[in-house]
Amino acid sequence: MASNFEKMSIEETLTQLNTSLKGLTEKEAEERIKKYGYNEVKEKKESPIVKFLKKFWAPVPWMLEVTIVITYILGKYLDMYIILFLLVFNSIVSFIQERRAENAVELLKQKLNVKARVLRDGQWKVIPARLLVPGDVVHIRLGDIVPADIKLFEGEVLVDQSALTGESVPVEKGKGNVVYSGSIIRRGEASGIVIATGAKTYFGKTTELVQTAKAESHLEKLIMNIVKYLIIVDVALVIALFVFSLAVGVKLSDVLPFSLIVLIASVPVALPATFTIAMALGSQELARKGILVTRLTASEDAASMDVLNLDKTGTITENRMRVGDPIPAEGFTKEEVVKYAYMASDEASQDPIDTAVIACLRDNNIAPGNYERLEFKPFDPSTKRTEALVKTENNVFRVVKGAPQVIAELAEVPDLKNYYSTLEELSKRGYRTISVAIGDKEGKLKLVGILPLYDRPRKDSREFIEEIKRLNVKPKMVTGDNELIAREIARQVDIGDVICNINEIKKLEGKERIKKVEECDVFAEVFPEDKYFIVKTLQEGGHYVGMTGDGVNDAPALKQAEVGIAVANATDVAKASASMVLTHEGLTDIVEAIKTGRRIYQRMLTYTINKIIKTLQVVLFLTLSFFIVRFFVTTPFDVILLLFANDFVTMSIATDNVRYSQKPERLDAGKIVKASLILAFLVVAESFFSLWLALYLRMSINEIHTFIFDMLVFTGQFTVYMVRERRSMWSSRPSNFLLISSIFDIIFISTISVLGILVYPIPLQYVLLILGVSFGFTVIFDRIKNISFKTVGI
């Protein structure tokens, strides 16, 4: 809409909006509020109750819910209550950990909650900005947050819209131009006509992108894939069990409870809760390092991130104009160029160029000398210069600084060709320039020199980019600035030299478009929707995308990216849209986020592999052993107890000491299952050896139940230590919490087995025997594990 009004004349705008320069009446405004709505962003909220109930609508909960129904039908109420507890426990943990304290849309709404000076009933009034309507006549001045999209018909203003468009330099706006809601007036005053309010503004459209943006949960996909594999194995074994039972004449009433055991054993009941806890603990670890995580899956996704889009302004650079190396004219020094520019600058104006000149003088300890400023004319967009009349002990002279072309017309330039050649070279290198001249009060001016201006990179930007390259994450710079500035900054931080035009990329389709975006190192002159488009395109190419930013314009892309990172000086909107918020200046904390994320990945991988091995061990062993010995080698209650003894104790894996890898990690369900299958078959073989041992020792069926139960618990604990390391299990020391949990679990199970609490009692020597057997097999299997993991590439 803004672009349409930008092209219209003032008269056409007034006609289009059915208004006049005298403004609206209160009655007309009330009618328009009914038509256009309030000048605010409507939020999309979901009931907390609905959010909680959704925790019960997913593959793992479905399996638990089916099991609960079956146990109820069979009258196994204790089993039913235990499984119901597991289901509710998982849901509560996930709900609490994922609940957000902040809402991006709410912050956007608050941003619009400002006051506005409006002409109503022929009088100027101050009203809440939410009551503005299209057609209102408003007045804006220094320091104001622009309350709506406004087409100016009078006055001149300097507008800081970096938070909206990413442009690092404030822009001049005058009659006929449009200023956007949410931008800030840095200088001047102007009056204009409101052309858009609320969600129809440039600001509001960004809000809509924030609302619709959503990163896909790769964790959720992984769990579904793993459950899919487990269900296939489970269903196949149950079918085989029923066929075998019919063939040998076993009653179905005896087979059904055992099928229930197989079903319970194959459900990874603690998997979602464990993943959530692992990521929550990782979030706490990141918080201690100054990184606030607002979306739990971000810590997992940081491990997989292979592309990081870096917003230039305020992220790679300081978002602050600086003076480069001054270029003096003949007869002057660099210090004099800065000194005279300082005389024609005013700190009170908060003009970014004046501020840069003043900072340059102070940073370089240049003495301005004794002088008195008799007159001062601030920057005027029509003349494009600043002037000062200065008095020293011996002289009164005029100092002028401004656009180089303007100064060239006013001042004597010794070598005009060289002057313009210098300006062109500076422009190619991405610098803005101003020129400085002095002269008599009424006489001809003389060129003093040229001051290059630029928004310089942060001191740590180059080092940071080198570091993430070493971690095999590809950096890309995304900016609203022009190609020349983008190219120069990219050179300084060594991010790459492939500069792309986003409009040309948008003309491409499918794989060709994805390939082009992948090849680009720098995207220049982009708008908010372009950043969002870049992130989406990379995701379509199978990449896990990170995005840094600090402004409103970055919010949609931050929300869409797997890892949206708001830098320390970011706006509230950017912080609320991001999944990570840096609290320290600079970008080096992102490296810590990647390393921590990769450690979290290793912990989750350990748990997942262990759980798959245990599930396959229990399901295959219990089913096949029934085929062989014609009785159940453990009881349904023992399997339920096993869930507590193994699954919830192995949650302590979330605290384990692990190393991060030098490359992005991906939780590939297929590879994980393949690696787990080899070890699972070995553990099943161990299980049959344990069953043979029990039969050899002539144990009773009840003793065998406890003996096998102990074996399943002990092998479950030892398997954790085998799979936690990609090398030998002795390569690194586990965390204290993991060790203590395992020791406590083994002591607890041994105690109840000997005393006969919850299970049938067996002698202590049987418990120690199966403990030793389980440990011995684990040491042997550790050698094979190394080959298995290398073969499948995990």
Side-chain angles (χ1 to χ4, degrees), residues 232-294:
I232 291 171
V233 172
D234 186 28
V235 170
L237 287 172
V238 169
I239 292 172
L241 186 62
F242 272 96
V243 171
F244 177 80
S245 301
L246 291 172
V248 298
V250 178
K251 293 180 181 179
L252 289 180
S253 59
D254 293 331
V255 176
L256 192 58
F258 185 76
S259 300
L260 180 62
I261 295 175
V262 174
L263 177 63
I264 294 171
S266 65
V267 178
V269 288
L271 187 61
T274 302
F275 273 34
T276 301
I277 290 171
M279 288 183 288
L281 291 173
S283 299
Q284 292 174 13
E285 185 180 340
L286 288 171
R288 288 193 292 272
K289 296 174 181 178
I291 306 159
L292 303 180
V293 176
T294 62

Coordinates of all heavy atoms in Angstrom, one line a residue, residues 232-294:
I232 N 6.7 -51.2 13.6 CA 6.8 -52.3 12.5 C 7.3 -53.6 13.2 O 6.8 -54.7 12.9 CB 7.8 -51.8 11.4 CG1 7.1 -50.7 10.6 CG2 8.1 -53.0 10.5 CD1 8.1 -50.0 9.6
V233 N 8.4 -53.5 14.0 CA 8.9 -54.7 14.7 C 7.9 -55.2 15.6 O 7.7 -56.5 15.7 CB 10.2 -54.3 15.5 CG1 10.7 -55.4 16.3 CG2 11.3 -53.8 14.5
D234 N 7.2 -54.4 16.4 CA 6.2 -54.8 17.4 C 5.1 -55.6 16.7 O 4.7 -56.7 17.1 CB 5.7 -53.6 18.1 CG 4.8 -54.0 19.2 OD1 4.9 -55.0 19.8 OD2 3.9 -53.2 19.5
V235 N 4.5 -55.0 15.6 CA 3.4 -55.6 15.0 C 3.8 -57.0 14.3 O 3.1 -58.0 14.4 CB 2.8 -54.7 13.9 CG1 1.8 -55.4 13.0 CG2 2.2 -53.5 14.5
A236 N 5.0 -57.0 13.7 CA 5.5 -58.2 13.1 C 5.6 -59.4 14.1 O 5.2 -60.5 13.9 CB 6.8 -58.0 12.4
L237 N 6.1 -59.0 15.3 CA 6.3 -60.0 16.4 C 5.0 -60.5 17.0 O 4.8 -61.7 17.3 CB 7.2 -59.5 17.5 CG 8.7 -59.4 17.1 CD1 9.5 -58.6 18.1 CD2 9.3 -60.7 16.8
V238 N 4.1 -59.6 17.1 CA 2.8 -59.9 17.7 C 2.0 -60.9 16.7 O 1.4 -61.9 17.1 CB 1.9 -58.7 18.0 CG1 0.5 -59.0 18.3 CG2 2.5 -57.9 19.2
I239 N 2.1 -60.6 15.4 CA 1.5 -61.4 14.4 C 2.1 -62.8 14.5 O 1.4 -63.9 14.5 CB 1.6 -60.8 13.0 CG1 0.7 -59.6 12.9 CG2 1.2 -61.8 12.0 CD1 0.9 -58.8 11.6
A240 N 3.4 -62.9 14.5 CA 4.1 -64.1 14.6 C 3.8 -64.9 15.8 O 3.6 -66.1 15.8 CB 5.6 -63.9 14.5
L241 N 3.6 -64.2 16.9 CA 3.2 -64.8 18.2 C 1.8 -65.5 18.1 O 1.6 -66.6 18.6 CB 3.3 -63.7 19.3 CG 3.0 -64.2 20.7 CD1 4.1 -65.2 21.2 CD2 3.0 -63.0 21.7
F242 N 0.9 -64.8 17.5 CA -0.5 -65.3 17.4 C -0.5 -66.5 16.4 O -1.2 -67.5 16.7 CB -1.4 -64.2 16.9 CG -2.0 -63.4 17.9 CD1 -1.5 -62.2 18.3 CD2 -3.2 -63.8 18.6 CE1 -2.0 -61.4 19.3 CE2 -3.7 -63.1 19.6 CZ -3.1 -61.8 20.0
V243 N 0.2 -66.4 15.3 CA 0.3 -67.6 14.4 C 0.9 -68.8 15.1 O 0.4 -69.9 15.0 CB 1.1 -67.2 13.2 CG1 1.4 -68.4 12.3 CG2 0.4 -66.1 12.4
F244 N 2.0 -68.6 15.8 CA 2.7 -69.7 16.5 C 1.7 -70.3 17.6 O 1.7 -71.5 17.8 CB 3.9 -69.1 17.2 CG 4.7 -70.2 18.0 CD1 5.5 -71.1 17.4 CD2 4.5 -70.2 19.4 CE1 6.2 -72.1 18.2 CE2 5.2 -71.2 20.2 CZ 6.0 -72.1 19.6
S245 N 1.0 -69.4 18.3 CA 0.1 -69.9 19.4 C -1.0 -70.8 18.8 O -1.4 -71.8 19.3 CB -0.5 -68.7 20.1 OG 0.5 -67.9 20.7
L246 N -1.5 -70.4 17.6 CA -2.6 -71.1 17.0 C -2.0 -72.5 16.5 O -2.7 -73.5 16.6 CB -3.2 -70.4 15.8 CG -4.0 -69.1 16.1 CD1 -4.3 -68.4 14.8 CD2 -5.3 -69.5 16.8
A247 N -0.8 -72.5 16.0 CA -0.2 -73.7 15.5 C 0.1 -74.7 16.6 O -0.1 -75.9 16.4 CB 1.1 -73.3 14.8
V248 N 0.5 -74.2 17.8 CA 0.8 -75.2 18.9 C -0.3 -75.4 19.9 O -0.1 -76.1 20.9 CB 2.1 -74.7 19.6 CG1 3.3 -74.7 18.6 CG2 1.9 -73.4 20.3
G249 N -1.4 -74.6 19.7 CA -2.6 -74.8 20.5 C -2.6 -74.1 21.8 O -3.2 -74.5 22.8
V250 N -1.8 -73.0 21.9 CA -1.8 -72.1 23.1 C -3.1 -71.3 23.1 O -3.5 -70.7 22.1 CB -0.5 -71.3 23.1 CG1 -0.6 -70.4 24.4 CG2 0.7 -72.1 23.1
K251 N -3.7 -71.1 24.3 CA -4.9 -70.3 24.4 C -4.6 -68.8 24.1 O -3.6 -68.3 24.6 CB -5.5 -70.4 25.8 CG -6.0 -71.8 26.1 CD -6.6 -71.8 27.5 CE -7.1 -73.2 27.9 NZ -7.6 -73.2 29.3
L252 N -5.5 -68.2 23.3 CA -5.3 -66.8 23.0 C -5.4 -65.9 24.3 O -4.8 -64.8 24.4 CB -6.4 -66.3 22.0 CG -6.2 -66.8 20.6 CD1 -7.3 -66.3 19.7 CD2 -4.9 -66.4 20.0
S253 N -6.2 -66.4 25.3 CA -6.3 -65.7 26.5 C -4.9 -65.6 27.3 O -4.7 -64.7 28.1 CB -7.3 -66.3 27.4 OG -7.0 -67.7 27.7
D254 N -4.1 -66.6 27.0 CA -2.7 -66.5 27.6 C -1.8 -65.6 26.8 O -0.8 -65.0 27.3 CB -2.1 -67.9 27.7 CG -2.9 -68.8 28.7 OD1 -3.5 -68.2 29.6 OD2 -2.9 -70.0 28.5
V255 N -2.0 -65.6 25.4 CA -1.2 -64.9 24.5 C -1.4 -63.4 24.6 O -0.5 -62.5 24.5 CB -1.4 -65.4 23.1 CG1 -0.5 -64.5 22.1 CG2 -1.0 -66.8 23.0
L256 N -2.7 -63.0 24.8 CA -3.0 -61.6 24.8 C -2.3 -60.8 25.9 O -1.8 -59.7 25.5 CB -4.6 -61.4 25.0 CG -5.1 -60.0 24.7 CD1 -4.8 -59.6 23.3 CD2 -6.6 -60.0 24.9
P257 N -2.2 -61.2 27.1 CA -1.4 -60.5 28.1 C 0.0 -60.3 27.7 O 0.6 -59.2 27.9 CB -1.6 -61.3 29.4 CG -2.8 -62.1 29.2 CD -2.8 -62.4 27.7
F258 N 0.6 -61.4 27.1 CA 2.0 -61.3 26.7 C 2.1 -60.3 25.5 O 3.1 -59.5 25.5 CB 2.5 -62.6 26.3 CG 4.0 -62.6 25.9 CD1 4.9 -62.6 26.9 CD2 4.4 -62.6 24.6 CE1 6.3 -62.5 26.6 CE2 5.7 -62.5 24.3 CZ 6.7 -62.5 25.3
S259 N 1.2 -60.2 24.6 CA 1.2 -59.2 23.5 C 1.2 -57.8 24.1 O 1.8 -56.9 23.6 CB 0.0 -59.4 22.6 OG 0.0 -60.7 22.1
L260 N 0.5 -57.7 25.2 CA 0.4 -56.4 25.9 C 1.8 -56.0 26.4 O 2.2 -54.9 26.4 CB -0.6 -56.4 27.1 CG -0.7 -55.2 27.9 CD1 -1.2 -54.0 27.0 CD2 -1.7 -55.4 29.0
I261 N 2.5 -57.0 27.0 CA 3.9 -56.8 27.4 C 4.8 -56.3 26.3 O 5.5 -55.3 26.4 CB 4.5 -58.1 28.0 CG1 3.8 -58.6 29.2 CG2 6.0 -57.9 28.3 CD1 4.3 -59.9 29.8
V262 N 4.7 -56.9 25.1 CA 5.4 -56.5 24.0 C 5.1 -55.1 23.6 O 6.0 -54.3 23.3 CB 5.2 -57.5 22.8 CG1 5.9 -57.0 21.5 CG2 5.7 -58.9 23.1
L263 N 3.8 -54.8 23.6 CA 3.4 -53.4 23.3 C 4.0 -52.4 24.2 O 4.5 -51.4 23.8 CB 1.9 -53.3 23.3 CG 1.2 -52.0 23.0 CD1 1.6 -51.5 21.6 CD2 -0.3 -52.0 23.2
I264 N 3.9 -52.7 25.5 CA 4.4 -51.8 26.5 C 5.9 -51.6 26.4 O 6.4 -50.5 26.4 CB 4.0 -52.3 28.0 CG1 2.5 -52.2 28.2 CG2 4.7 -51.4 29.0 CD1 2.1 -52.9 29.5
A265 N 6.6 -52.7 26.2 CA 8.0 -52.6 26.0 C 8.5 -51.8 24.8 O 9.6 -51.2 24.8 CB 8.6 -54.0 26.0
S266 N 7.7 -51.8 23.8 CA 8.1 -51.2 22.5 C 7.8 -49.7 22.5 O 8.3 -48.9 21.6 CB 7.5 -51.8 21.3 OG 6.1 -51.6 21.4
V267 N 7.0 -49.2 23.5 CA 6.7 -47.8 23.5 C 7.8 -47.0 24.2 O 8.1 -47.3 25.4 CB 5.4 -47.5 24.3 CG1 5.0 -46.1 24.3 CG2 4.2 -48.3 23.6
P268 N 8.4 -46.1 23.6 CA 9.5 -45.3 24.2 C 8.9 -44.2 25.1 O 8.9 -43.0 24.8 CB 10.3 -44.6 23.0 CG 9.2 -44.5 21.9 CD 8.3 -45.7 22.1
V269 N 8.3 -44.6 26.2 CA 7.5 -43.8 27.1 C 8.2 -42.5 27.6 O 7.7 -41.5 27.7 CB 6.9 -44.5 28.3 CG1 5.8 -45.5 27.8 CG2 8.0 -45.3 29.0
A270 N 9.5 -42.7 27.9 CA 10.2 -41.5 28.5 C 11.0 -40.7 27.4 O 11.7 -39.8 27.8 CB 11.2 -42.1 29.5
L271 N 10.9 -41.2 26.2 CA 11.7 -40.5 25.1 C 11.4 -39.0 25.0 O 12.3 -38.2 25.1 CB 11.6 -41.2 23.8 CG 12.5 -40.7 22.6 CD1 13.9 -40.9 23.0 CD2 12.1 -41.5 21.4
P272 N 10.1 -38.6 24.8 CA 9.8 -37.2 24.7 C 10.2 -36.4 25.9 O 10.8 -35.3 25.8 CB 8.3 -37.1 24.5 CG 7.9 -38.5 24.1 CD 8.9 -39.4 24.7
A273 N 10.0 -36.9 27.1 CA 10.3 -36.2 28.4 C 11.8 -36.1 28.5 O 12.3 -35.0 28.9 CB 9.7 -36.9 29.6
T274 N 12.6 -37.1 28.2 CA 14.0 -37.1 28.3 C 14.6 -36.0 27.3 O 15.5 -35.3 27.7 CB 14.6 -38.5 28.0 OG1 14.0 -39.4 28.9 CG2 16.1 -38.4 28.2
F275 N 14.1 -36.0 26.1 CA 14.6 -35.0 25.2 C 14.3 -33.6 25.7 O 15.2 -32.7 25.6 CB 13.9 -35.2 23.8 CG 14.6 -36.2 22.9 CD1 15.3 -37.3 23.5 CD2 14.7 -36.1 21.5 CE1 15.9 -38.3 22.7 CE2 15.3 -37.0 20.7 CZ 16.0 -38.1 21.3
T276 N 13.1 -33.4 26.2 CA 12.7 -32.1 26.7 C 13.7 -31.7 27.9 O 14.1 -30.6 27.9 CB 11.3 -32.1 27.2 OG1 10.4 -32.5 26.1 CG2 10.9 -30.7 27.7
I277 N 13.9 -32.6 28.8 CA 14.8 -32.4 30.0 C 16.2 -32.1 29.5 O 16.9 -31.2 30.0 CB 14.7 -33.5 31.0 CG1 13.4 -33.6 31.6 CG2 15.8 -33.4 32.0 CD1 13.1 -34.8 32.5
A278 N 16.7 -32.9 28.5 CA 18.0 -32.7 28.0 C 18.2 -31.3 27.4 O 19.2 -30.6 27.7 CB 18.4 -33.7 27.0
M279 N 17.2 -30.8 26.7 CA 17.3 -29.5 26.1 C 17.1 -28.4 27.1 O 17.6 -27.3 27.0 CB 16.2 -29.4 25.0 CG 16.6 -30.2 23.7 SD 15.5 -30.0 22.3 CE 14.1 -30.9 22.9
A280 N 16.2 -28.7 28.2 CA 16.0 -27.7 29.2 C 17.3 -27.5 30.0 O 17.7 -26.3 30.3 CB 14.9 -28.1 30.2
L281 N 18.0 -28.6 30.3 CA 19.3 -28.5 31.0 C 20.3 -27.8 30.1 O 21.2 -27.0 30.6 CB 19.8 -29.9 31.4 CG 19.0 -30.6 32.5 CD1 19.5 -32.0 32.7 CD2 19.1 -29.8 33.8
G282 N 20.3 -28.1 28.8 CA 21.2 -27.4 27.9 C 20.9 -25.9 27.9 O 21.8 -25.1 27.8
S283 N 19.6 -25.5 27.9 CA 19.2 -24.1 28.0 C 19.8 -23.4 29.2 O 20.2 -22.3 29.1 CB 17.7 -24.0 27.9 OG 17.2 -24.6 26.8
Q284 N 19.8 -24.1 30.3 CA 20.3 -23.6 31.6 C 21.8 -23.4 31.4 O 22.4 -22.4 31.9 CB 20.0 -24.5 32.7 CG 18.5 -24.5 33.1 CD 18.2 -25.6 34.2 OE1 19.1 -26.1 34.8 NE2 17.0 -25.9 34.4
E285 N 22.5 -24.3 30.8 CA 23.9 -24.2 30.5 C 24.2 -23.0 29.7 O 25.2 -22.3 29.9 CB 24.4 -25.5 29.9 CG 25.9 -25.6 29.7 CD 26.3 -26.9 29.0 OE1 25.5 -27.9 29.0 OE2 27.4 -27.0 28.4
L286 N 23.4 -22.8 28.6 CA 23.6 -21.6 27.8 C 23.3 -20.3 28.5 O 24.0 -19.3 28.3 CB 22.7 -21.8 26.5 CG 23.1 -22.8 25.5 CD1 22.0 -23.0 24.5 CD2 24.4 -22.5 24.8
A287 N 22.3 -20.4 29.4 CA 22.0 -19.1 30.2 C 23.2 -18.7 31.0 O 23.4 -17.5 31.2 CB 20.8 -19.4 31.0
R288 N 23.9 -19.7 31.6 CA 25.1 -19.3 32.4 C 26.1 -18.7 31.6 O 27.0 -18.0 32.1 CB 25.6 -20.6 33.1 CG 24.7 -21.1 34.2 CD 25.4 -22.2 35.1 NE 25.7 -23.4 34.3 CZ 24.8 -24.4 34.2 NH1 23.6 -24.3 34.9 NH2 25.1 -25.5 33.6
K289 N 26.1 -18.9 30.2 CA 27.1 -18.4 29.3 C 26.6 -17.1 28.7 O 27.2 -16.6 27.7 CB 27.5 -19.4 28.3 CG 28.2 -20.6 28.9 CD 28.5 -21.7 27.8 CE 29.1 -22.9 28.5 NZ 29.4 -24.0 27.5
G290 N 25.4 -16.6 29.1 CA 24.9 -15.4 28.6 C 24.0 -15.5 27.4 O 23.8 -14.6 26.6
I291 N 23.5 -16.7 27.1 CA 22.6 -17.0 26.0 C 21.2 -17.5 26.5 O 21.2 -18.5 27.1 CB 23.2 -18.1 25.0 CG1 24.6 -17.7 24.6 CG2 22.3 -18.2 23.8 CD1 25.4 -18.8 24.1
L292 N 20.2 -16.7 26.3 CA 18.9 -17.0 26.8 C 18.1 -17.8 25.7 O 18.0 -17.3 24.6 CB 18.1 -15.8 27.2 CG 18.8 -14.9 28.2 CD1 17.9 -13.7 28.5 CD2 19.1 -15.7 29.5
V293 N 17.6 -19.0 26.0 CA 16.9 -19.8 25.0 C 15.4 -19.7 25.2 O 14.9 -19.9 26.4 CB 17.4 -21.3 25.1 CG1 16.6 -22.2 24.2 CG2 18.8 -21.4 24.9
T294 N 14.7 -19.3 24.2 CA 13.3 -19.1 24.4 C 12.5 -20.2 23.7 O 11.2 -20.2 23.8 CB 12.8 -17.7 23.7 OG1 13.1 -17.7 22.3 CG2 13.6 -16.6 24.4

